[in-house]
Structure formats: C-alpha cells, structure tokens
Amino acid sequence: MTSSFKQLNARWAELQNASVLYFSALDANLLREAEKHVVSRWRQEGGEEPTRLDGPVPDFGEVIAATGAISLFGGSRHVILREIVPASMGDKDVKELADLFSELENAVLLVTALYKDKRAMTSKKAKMLSEAAAQNGFAAELKPHSKTEVLEMVQQVAEGLGTAFAPGAAEELLERAGADLHLLEKETEKLAAISGYGRIDSELVRRYGVRNVEADVFELVRLITAGRKAPAQEKLSELLALRHEPIAITGALGGSFVDMLRVRTGAESRHSVSQVFLDMHYKGSEYRLTKAEENARRYATAALEQGVLLLAELDGALKSNPLTDKAILLQAAVARLIQLRGSV
C-alpha cells in the first residue's frame, strides 16, 4: 500500500465529512487502484453504488447533476470523476471544478487525474485542482510501488482472507508472477483456498503458483547474467518443454536486455531508476527495473547494446523462416549473451 493510501486510511475518520478525494498520477493503473481502494471503503459503510463519470474531459453539466442529486439512502451521494486529463480541459472548466470542491453539499467526489509527464503535474491547472481538493478533503500524488510496498499489499490481501504467507513465500510469488497487482491478488486468493486458509508456504507457491513466460524468462536472465552456462541452457530447455513459444521467449529476453540498457544509460546521465521508470512510461511497480539494474552490473554498456541487437536479429530470424530450428538459434543466442558478460 502506498504511503498515500496509508495517509488516507489514517485520516479516514477525520475525512468522513470531506467533500473531495483527489488522486493524481502518471500511470492510469495507479489511479484505478486508488478508485478500487476508496470504493471498497465506501462499500464497507453501506449506501448506494457510486455514479461514475469518465474523462478525459468531463461534461461539467453531468458533474453538476450527479453531485447535486439527493441520495436514496439519505447520506452523501458518491460520485467518481474518472481519469480526467486537466491539460485537455479549458481554464474555465478547471476553475469551475476547483470551485465545485468547496460547494458540494449532497455528495463526496472522488477525482482521479492523469498527467502525461511531470511538467504537466506541476502546471497551474494541476496545482489549482490539487490545492482546492486538499482544502476540502484529501489530495495525493501516487507514485510507482516499490518491492516492499507490493509485498505489503500481497500480505494484506492474505490477512484479509484469514491466512498468511510463510517467510519468503510472498517474495517467491513476486519472483514467479511479476509485479502485476491484480494478478498477485488473484494468485493469493487461489493459494489461500488451496492451503485451506492455513499458511501459504514457498512449496505451495512453487507447486501451484502461476507460471508466465515473463517470470520464467526472468529466471533465465538471472542465470545468463550470472554466467551460469549449463543451468541457463537447462532453463531454456525447460521453457521450450513447457511449450513457451520461441518468439515469446526471445521477446521477453529482449525486453529484459532493453531494461538493463535503459537503466545503465540512465545512470550514466545521473538518472535514478525511478526517473527512468517515469521517463520511459513503465507501468505498475519499479521492481522490474530494480532487478534490471542489478543484472546490468555484470555488463559493459557496449555489451548490453550488442545483446539488444543480437536479440532483435534473433527475433527477425525466427519470424522470417518458419522452417529453421528455433531451439538451436535460441541456444546459440543464450551462449552469446553469456559471452558478452564483462566488467563495467
């Protein structure tokens, strides 16, 4: 759970009479998670389902009509203004929306605002909306989840189901399934049921947890960057035996080496992993790039560039000649990627 959500939970009782809850982000997935979180809190309190109005540029007449209606349950009406894009809104509409935050009488308004880049997030329009929201309720900028936050959220899902992860099991699930929060939540629900709502241990995760090509190739990349030739080739054979398509394996390998090259060139320009994450418009958690940074330490920048080109050529070869022995081409590529390792 992000610190913004922690702040919201800590202040929830205080915010019972708030007019507006405002979340902004560069990633729409974070905004959808915020919406889900708030709606869950509303449902715990009872009342009717919220009215949802979609961006990027809302119809202000519809907003007024929705927020001015009287709730059938006698309490405040819940209205969601989803994924508005302030940069696409006129100055007049932005001002009217900011003014509305202090004029709401029959409704609580949840607003999620999507920004293209950090410059847009610090614009006059953005500041006007966030400041007006903070004055009348709660405003927060959502940032990508760290590995620690992802693990905390997974563990909270387990606790909500009456179960818990054994030490290391949540980390094992993250390694296997990746950092997609929706997938992790569903996997936790599945594993909790299989465990009989007892404890979810690493063996259970390994036996029943999801296996996707990205997670499997992630392990292959770890073996390649560690220079472990035989285990890497064994892992590749395992992926092929599991009927993962060679083109999909190559694509995932290419994505990993592109990640490593991006964080390396970013570091050379004094850009942090977080900045690279934002600049390159990654989604979800920074965990993927954090691991890429670790793996990239074993390669020179020129070697990473060669690795990316090698995998692009492999992708072309696999797609252009359906009769070629794809396993042999992949085995040769893995061997070459290991050879490219060197000191930075």
Side-chain angles (χ1 to χ4, degrees):
M1 184 174 297
T2 65
S3 58
S4 298
F5 287 178
K6 287 181 180 177
Q7 293 167 7
L8 178 62
N9 286 335
R11 295 182 56 194
W12 190 258
E14 171 194 344
L15 294 170
Q16 291 298 313
N17 297 319
S19 298
V20 61
L21 303 172
Y22 183 90
F23 292 92
S24 58
L26 301 173
D27 182 353
N29 291 322
L30 293 174
L31 297 179
R32 291 162 193 163
E33 183 186 338
E35 178 184 332
K36 179 180 177 181
H37 180 79
V38 173
V39 170
S40 176
R41 295 300 300 251
W42 282 346
R43 284 175 177 159
Q44 292 172 20
E45 299 168 354
E48 61 192 83
E49 279 294 298
T51 298
R52 292 176 169 86
L53 303 174
D54 292 327
V57 179
D59 183 314
F60 203 72
E62 292 183 358
V63 176
I64 294 296
T67 56
I70 304 297
S71 171
L72 297 176
F73 290 82
S76 294
R77 186 177 181 85
H78 294 146
V79 179
I80 302 173
L81 199 51
R82 309 175 77 179
E83 297 176 32
I84 66 170
V85 179
S88 299
M89 297 170 60
D91 291 340
K92 180 175 179 291
D93 286 341
V94 169
K95 184 178 185 306
E96 287 182 344
L97 181 58
D99 290 342
L100 177 66
F101 292 168
S102 62
E103 299 169 358
L104 296 169
E105 295 181 359
N106 301 315
V108 176
L109 182 60
L110 167 62
V111 183
T112 60
L114 182 63
Y115 292 95
K116 178 181 178 180
D117 50 38
K118 297 199 77 173
R119 181 178 178 182
M121 191 168 272
T122 58
S123 67
K124 180 180 178 181
K125 292 178 181 178
K127 289 180 179 179
M128 181 182 295
L129 289 173
S130 61
E131 289 174 2
Q135 290 171 4
N136 295 280
F138 180 84
E141 175 189 338
L142 299 179
K143 298 181 180 180
H145 302 305
S146 67
K147 177 182 178 181
T148 299
E149 288 171 337
V150 172
L151 289 172
E152 183 179 345
M153 283 185 278
V154 169
Q155 289 160 350
Q156 288 180 349
V157 171
E159 290 173 5
L161 295 168
T163 184
F165 282 95
E171 288 84 349
E172 180 99 24
L173 178 60
L174 180 57
E175 290 282 352
R176 290 173 62 88
D180 183 292
L181 296 178
H182 180 71
L183 176 60
L184 289 171
E185 181 177 355
K186 295 302 180 185
E187 280 299 295
T188 302
E189 291 172 353
K190 179 184 76 177
L191 293 170
I194 293 173
S195 73
Y197 298 95
R199 196 163 79 151
I200 302 172
D201 58 25
S202 294
E203 181 180 353
L204 194 71
V205 173
R206 286 192 292 268
R207 186 171 182 181
Y208 297 107
V210 67
R211 295 177 70 99
N212 57 49
V213 65
E214 289 80 10
D216 276 340
V217 171
F218 186 77
E219 172 63 14
L220 175 59
V221 171
R222 188 185 66 80
L223 294 170
I224 289 171
T225 58
R228 301 182 63 190
K229 299 179 182 179
Q233 292 293 356
E234 289 173 5
K235 183 64 180 179
L236 175 60
S237 296
E238 178 187 331
L239 295 181
L240 293 170
L242 289 169
R243 299 188 179 277
H244 286 312
E245 287 293 327
I247 291 175
I249 295 172
T250 302
L253 276 172
S256 291
F257 271 79
V258 167
D259 290 342
M260 286 191 277
L261 182 58
R262 283 174 172 171
V263 296
R264 168 59 57 72
T265 55
E268 290 173 351
S269 300
R270 297 186 178 181
H271 287 180
S272 66
V273 167
S274 296
Q275 189 61 51
V276 173
F277 184 95
L278 295 174
D279 289 345
M280 303 307 300
H281 305 292
Y282 282 89
K283 306 298 182 184
S285 168
E286 293 179 5
Y287 176 67
R288 170 177 168 178
L289 288 189
T290 300
K291 298 301 291 185
E293 182 185 38
E294 295 175 6
N295 291 331
R297 293 170 186 164
R298 291 155 175 155
Y299 286 83
T301 303
L304 289 173
E305 293 172 347
Q306 291 179 51
V308 171
L309 290 174
L310 183 155
L311 290 166
E313 292 171 0
L314 173 61
D315 181 71
L318 292 174
K319 292 176 178 176
S320 63
N321 188 354
L323 300 179
T324 190
D325 191 326
K326 297 177 181 179
I328 290 178
L329 290 180
L330 271 167
Q331 290 165 358
V334 167
R336 179 58 181 149
L337 291 172
I338 293 174
Q339 291 175 353
L340 288 174
R341 291 174 72 253
S343 60
V344 177

